Amino acid sequence: MRTALVTQAMALAVAMTASPATAQDAETSEWKGTVAPVSGFTGQMSMTMEGEIPDGMAVEEVVRFEPWQVLNDLFRDDLVFLMRSGPSDWTARDQSMNGAQDCGNQRLLSSTGEDRIRQFGAQMVVHELRPGAVLMSEWCRAQQTYLALETGMLGVDMKALDGMTTQLDPTLNLLNAPHGASDVAALQQTILDWDGSDGDGPLLIITHFDNIAALTRFNVYEGEVLIVDPTRDGRVLGYLRLGSATPDPIRYSQEAVDYAQAQAALAETRQ
């Protein structure tokens, strides 16, 4: 059973709301998005703002996507964006919890992770990828991910959330964990049932590594989005990923982590 999301009532460690001054600046600012191929089959989205950028609103991140050809499909309302929760603090571990929203006993997003996901949200609005509906795990880091996206979207357009629905969905909770989902059958059905008629934009689902891997057999970085097509039996068409994204130290080998970090640093020097 899904429960409506009430942002003000979320028991999260940090509240992420824009100040009135920032909100006003965002409403009158001019943002520009650019899409260009990077190499091979990879494309890149970036954004700039004319004039002085207000505090807390800078967007230095880029969004990489692959394959380049997926750009032709990205703007369909009947797609599903299947997202892993954002970059988290790996010095912490999930502990025994009284409930899925027991934030004090969970691994949460890092402050850097929150800011990176905020920038992802800004990119989604500038490049017209804003979701029409959002479903998310009840776990706190999934809710933090949504709130960071929301902050980024509102930073670009104060009307960005108009008409967008948000819900908590326990069937998206971490697979086989306490208070988690027992399988991905419900997640799969949710994807296949989406036809775009319930919102002006794709469906965004924020869940966890294990759930995504079990359903798609893809391993995804924190904050990565798989682009899923319900009209093709849930086929994965490609991905969206922050340029700074790297494999986490638990799901991937240290060699993979070191290599990805070196590649991200190299790409940063080329920009």
Side-chain angles (χ1 to χ4, degrees):
M1 180 178 180
R2 293 173 185 162
T3 55
L5 170 67
V6 182
T7 301
Q8 291 84 350
M10 285 185 178
L12 295 176
V14 180
M16 300 180 297
T17 55
S19 67
T22 299
Q24 180 62 36
D25 288 336
E27 191 173 18
T28 58
S29 299
E30 292 293 330
W31 295 89
K32 178 182 178 182
T34 302
V35 180
V38 178
S39 61
F41 296 103
T42 305
Q44 179 171 287
M45 299 178 180
S46 59
M47 58 184 283
T48 55
M49 188 178 77
E50 297 178 2
E52 185 176 353
I53 301 176
D55 291 342
M57 290 178 58
V59 177
E60 300 173 344
E61 286 277 1
V62 298
V63 174
R64 301 265 166 77
F65 64 93
E66 190 174 315
W68 172 260
Q69 290 80 359
V70 79
L71 186 63
N72 296 325
D73 282 311
L74 272 180
F75 310 101
R76 291 167 41 194
D77 291 347
D78 61 349
L79 291 180
V80 173
F81 288 173
L82 184 59
M83 183 178 194
R84 181 184 176 187
S85 56
S88 57
D89 178 7
W90 284 94
T91 64
R93 292 288 187 272
D94 296 323
Q95 307 296 327
S96 296
M97 294 174 288
N98 294 322
Q101 299 184 57
D102 181 5
C103 300
N105 288 313
Q106 296 180 36
R107 191 179 78 251
L108 301 174
L109 264 63
S110 64
S111 58
T112 298
E114 288 179 338
D115 189 62
R116 288 175 176 174
I117 297 299
R118 172 193 64 81
Q119 295 183 57
F120 204 155
Q123 294 274 13
M124 293 177 81
V125 171
V126 166
H127 293 285
E128 300 183 355
L129 301 177
R130 190 214 75 150
V134 181
L135 297 177
M136 73 197 81
S137 163
E138 295 177 316
W139 283 47
C140 299
R141 56 181 173 269
Q143 296 186 54
Q144 284 182 300
T145 299
Y146 167 72
L147 287 177
L149 288 171
E150 181 183 88
T151 300
M153 289 189 282
L154 290 174
V156 173
D157 181 359
M158 288 302 296
K159 298 181 179 179
L161 306 184
D162 289 0
M164 189 173 75
T165 62
T166 56
Q167 289 183 312
L168 298 177
D169 187 344
T171 69
L172 305 178
N173 291 355
L174 183 59
L175 191 65
N176 296 320
H179 315 286
S182 58
D183 57 45
V184 292
L187 170 58
Q188 180 180 42
Q189 195 59 53
T190 296
I191 291 173
L192 295 178
D193 286 345
W194 179 256
D195 61 7
S197 62
D198 292 338
D200 183 16
L203 172 64
L204 172 63
I205 295 176
I206 305 174
T207 184
H208 306 277
F209 178 96
D210 288 348
N211 306 55
I212 295 171
L215 180 66
T216 68
R217 298 187 180 182
F218 280 87
N219 293 343
V220 293
Y221 294 176
E222 291 180 297
E224 183 173 348
V225 173
L226 295 184
I227 305 158
V228 184
D229 189 348
T231 71
R232 303 181 190 177
D233 296 323
R235 180 184 301 175
V236 176
L237 303 182
Y239 71 82
L240 296 166
R241 179 192 293 165
L242 286 170
S244 65
T246 55
D248 63 76
I250 300 300
R251 306 295 188 182
Y252 297 86
S253 68
Q254 188 59 50
E255 290 79 7
V257 172
D258 292 342
Y259 176 79
Q261 289 176 343
Q263 290 297 107
L266 180 62
E268 184 71 19
T269 62
R270 292 174 175 173
Q271 293 178 16

